[in-house]
Amino acid sequence: GKMANGQQSKEGYIATDINILPMGSTVEIFGLGIFKAGDTGSAIKGKRIDIFYSSCKKAISFGKRVLKVKKIK
């Protein structure tokens, strides 16, 4: 599907609460790499993110975790 920014959903993007991390922000998720905020979600409130994975299997395997995130720009 498409993200809130209009682009096709793809790995390397995250959904965020735009009041905490604005759309287009670039972040480093320690241990995972660099991601760009390109989507929002009704369940993404406050200091939560949703990492896009290309398969349901990858997403389920990753699960829910507490992550350290640093805004780069």
Side-chain angles (χ1 to χ4, degrees):
K2 291 197 181 222
M3 297 183 287
N5 69 3
Q7 294 182 343
Q8 187 67 29
S9 299
K10 59 184 173 183
E11 288 193 22
Y13 281 86
I14 57 174
T16 68
D17 179 337
I18 59 172
N19 296 309
I20 303 295
L21 193 61
M23 194 78 73
S25 298
T26 302
V27 298
E28 178 180 2
I29 301 176
F30 293 90
L32 297 177
I34 305 297
F35 293 80
K36 189 150 196 131
D39 204 4
T40 60
S42 60
I44 309 303
K45 302 289 184 211
K47 294 183 177 183
R48 298 185 84 155
I49 62 170
D50 191 9
I51 301 172
F52 178 81
Y53 282 100
S54 60
S55 74
C56 187
K57 185 177 179 177
K58 277 185 174 179
I60 290 171
S61 175
F62 185 80
K64 293 183 180 183
R65 302 181 188 187
V66 175
L67 301 168
K68 185 174 179 184
V69 177
K70 175 183 171 185
K71 184 176 177 186
I72 297 172
K73 65 176 182 167

